[in-house]
Amino acid sequence: MRGKRWPNRFAALGDTFFTSLPTQGLPDPHWVAWSPSCAKLVGLADPTGDEHSLQVFSGNALAPGMHSLASVYSGHQFGVWAGQLGDGRAHWLGEVDTPEGPMEIQLKGAGLTPYSRMGDGRAVLRSSIREFLGSEAMAGLGVPTTRALCITGSALPVRRETVETAAVVTRVAPSFIRFGHFEHFTHTAENTPALKQLADFVIAAYYPECLDLPQPYLGLLEAVSRKTAELVAHWQAVGFCHGVMNTDNMSILGLTIDYGPFGFLDAFDPGHVCNHSDHQGRYAYARQPNVAFWNLHALAQGLLPLIGEPDDALEALEVYKTAFPRALEQKMRSKLGLATEQESDRDLIDGLLKRMAADRSDFSISFRRLAHFSTAPGALNASMRDLFIDREAFDAWAAQYAARLRSEGSVDAERAERMNRVNPKYVLRNHLAEVAIREAQAGDFAETQRLLKVLERPFDEQPEHAAYADFPPEWAQSIEVSCSS
Ligand code: AMP
Ligand code: MG
């Protein structure tokens, strides 16, 4: 903490964009968990021995130079315009210089803001552990995401469906600006000068290459469309469902942001809905790519006062339609261990996904086992085959796959090694988070820290942790995650 400056470029935009206000900390806080790799990123040593850090990351104190603020944004929630929202329980504190550029530090759960609406400004231990582990698991997988530095907790009661206890997560990202920030200044505040100021700030700070373009705002829209396409392709490839893809939960930098009722696929079901509150299945796994495109249209609407011509905006969005399928296909080729591109690859990929969906084979285990596939004549590939109910259908696909691999002279051992670097062995399945949460609620945080360590290296075998890579237990099906957090 010492010697850091905490500049805050966002605060320099002026109070049209936020409200400066103190945090409401946690009474008598304690450490719950911390991420060594995130701490390393922001240049902090183990904070857990330091009382001052405990107070800062619980919202009880500011380090010298910090400026606490909550930003205003709007957004579309479940396809409907929701009007003004804003940081209802998030406080931006300032930036820290890192090898990856300046990183914003933000507390989630440190009390009420003018944007809290009906909320209490708090976050419960349960959802904080999910956000912490989710962010760090995604970082381990190489998926763009906001990071989580630590969680602090307190006995402070917080009412949700039942009475739980309060916690604060410290999040870290280059920026927490969302699509909804832009929508706000167009539809709610109707303040085009502020919209322009925000867009100019985002371009200068995060998309400087747009400055050289004849139309920088169109360039921004196109760049965000490309980033979002790559993000969602990444989600699909690791079987991640966000759960609440509202436009206020979409990062302008193409990061995974706001971990609520997210989930990783267990048995493969393209229609899987991870958010128990999403009755229409709007944010089902297979719908995520289209929803992201819908959200980009909302961003385009938000930027329209700067772009002028709707047709130009529509054209900039077109990039998503090529960037997304290209990114996904490239990721799926890697998942299958294909080193070259062939016309028929899409059929081969679709064929496997269709078999997996029909037999509800486990998403992560299927791809991990596929690495052991043998192209030797007569090979049964039993460990993979056993995942399917319709064995003949699998055999037909396997023959096609073997022929495709032979056509590029694929060497089994080399391919296996490549595949194991893109098909994770360890993902944050709901039941794993649930075990860590239950133990933490009983006062034992060791499992949260242990699980974090496993998830930091999701592609490594880690035989001593093999149980974390197993099929979900029967009881996992009864876990319900909703927006309640
Ligand atoms: P979410 O869908 O969880 O990202 O939240 C949507 C909006 O509700 C955001 O503006 C949040 O800041 C706000 N919000 C959610 N939970 C709370 C809470 N407990 N207290 C205050 N605001 C909240
Ligand atoms: Mg949100």
Side-chain angles (χ1 to χ4, degrees), residues 13-58:
L13 289 176
D15 58 12
T16 311
F17 299 88
F18 56 82
T19 302
S20 298
L21 78 176
T23 50
Q24 288 171 321
L26 298 177
D28 196 14
H30 56 255
W31 292 106
V32 173
W34 71 291
S35 163
S37 72
C38 185
K40 187 166 172 234
L41 170 69
V42 298
L44 289 177
D46 177 355
T48 58
D50 179 24
E51 179 60 25
H52 178 60
S53 297
L54 175 62
Q55 297 304 334
V56 171
F57 296 132
S58 302

Side-chain angles (χ1 to χ4, degrees), residues 63-351:
M66 281 180 169
H67 174 159
S68 166
L69 62 87
S71 76
V72 62
Y73 54 79
S74 295
H76 283 85
Q77 299 188 320
F78 291 90
V80 178
W81 176 245
Q84 182 180 308
L85 304 163
D87 294 316
R89 50 174 171 169
H91 291 74
W92 309 42
L93 300 182
E95 289 168 302
V96 59
D97 280 326
T98 80
E100 294 176 26
M103 293 280 165
E104 198 65 73
I105 305 284
Q106 187 179 85
L107 301 186
K108 181 166 175 179
L112 290 168
T113 78
Y115 318 110
S116 300
R117 298 180 296 154
M118 309 299 279
D120 55 8
R122 295 295 180 183
V124 295
L125 180 64
R126 164 179 55 85
S127 66
S128 301
I129 289 177
R130 285 178 51 85
E131 168 132 27
F132 174 81
L133 290 174
S135 319
E136 295 306 281
M138 290 291 262
L141 290 167
V143 183
T145 179
T146 63
R147 302 290 305 265
L149 176 63
C150 59
I151 312 175
T152 63
S154 157
L156 181 75
V158 175
R159 186 169 291 280
R160 295 292 179 259
E161 280 84 2
T162 59
V163 176
E164 303 184 43
T165 59
V168 168
V169 189
T170 300
R171 305 198 286 194
V172 174
S175 175
F176 292 93
I177 297 177
R178 302 143 190 271
F179 289 10
H181 280 98
F182 293 88
E183 293 178 274
H184 179 78
F185 291 103
T186 298
H187 307 307
T188 308
E190 299 185 33
N191 184 344
T192 303
L195 175 71
K196 182 173 181 310
Q197 199 191 344
L198 181 67
D200 288 343
F201 169 70
V202 167
I203 289 173
Y206 308 106
Y207 292 97
E209 64 281 6
C210 293
L211 285 170
D212 302 329
L213 300 174
Q215 299 194 62
Y217 305 118
L218 264 185
L220 174 65
L221 183 58
E222 198 176 311
V224 177
S225 300
R226 197 170 283 119
K227 280 237 154 88
T228 305
E230 277 158 21
L231 174 71
V232 178
H234 233 132
W235 286 358
Q236 302 306 103
V238 297
F240 175 82
C241 304
H242 182 283
V244 204
M245 287 177 71
N246 296 334
T247 59
D248 54 303
N249 290 337
M250 296 291 292
S251 151
I252 201 70
L253 303 183
L255 307 172
T256 313
I257 190 171
D258 281 12
Y259 289 80
F262 70 90
F264 284 86
L265 294 173
D266 290 323
F268 183 47
D269 171 10
H272 178 67
V273 180
C274 60
N275 177 357
H276 198 69
S277 319
D278 180 6
H279 305 294
Q280 311 288 320
R282 180 180 172 87
Y283 299 137
Y285 168 78
R287 288 194 173 152
Q288 295 187 129
N290 280 340
V291 169
F293 194 45
W294 192 95
N295 289 345
L296 284 162
H297 278 82
L299 174 65
Q301 286 271 335
L303 286 169
L304 210 51
L306 304 180
I307 291 172
E309 277 301 316
D311 283 351
D312 289 347
L314 285 175
E315 206 182 308
L317 293 174
E318 283 293 299
V319 66
Y320 184 88
K321 286 202 213 153
T322 44
F324 172 73
R326 195 183 304 128
L328 183 60
E329 216 170 293
Q330 183 252 321
K331 287 197 164 20
M332 294 309 295
R333 266 203 192 89
S334 311
K335 286 178 82 68
L336 267 68
L338 305 178
T340 58
E341 290 186 18
Q342 287 183 19
E343 198 66 40
S344 58
D345 290 348
R346 186 173 295 182
D347 278 350
L348 186 71
I349 294 163
D350 287 349

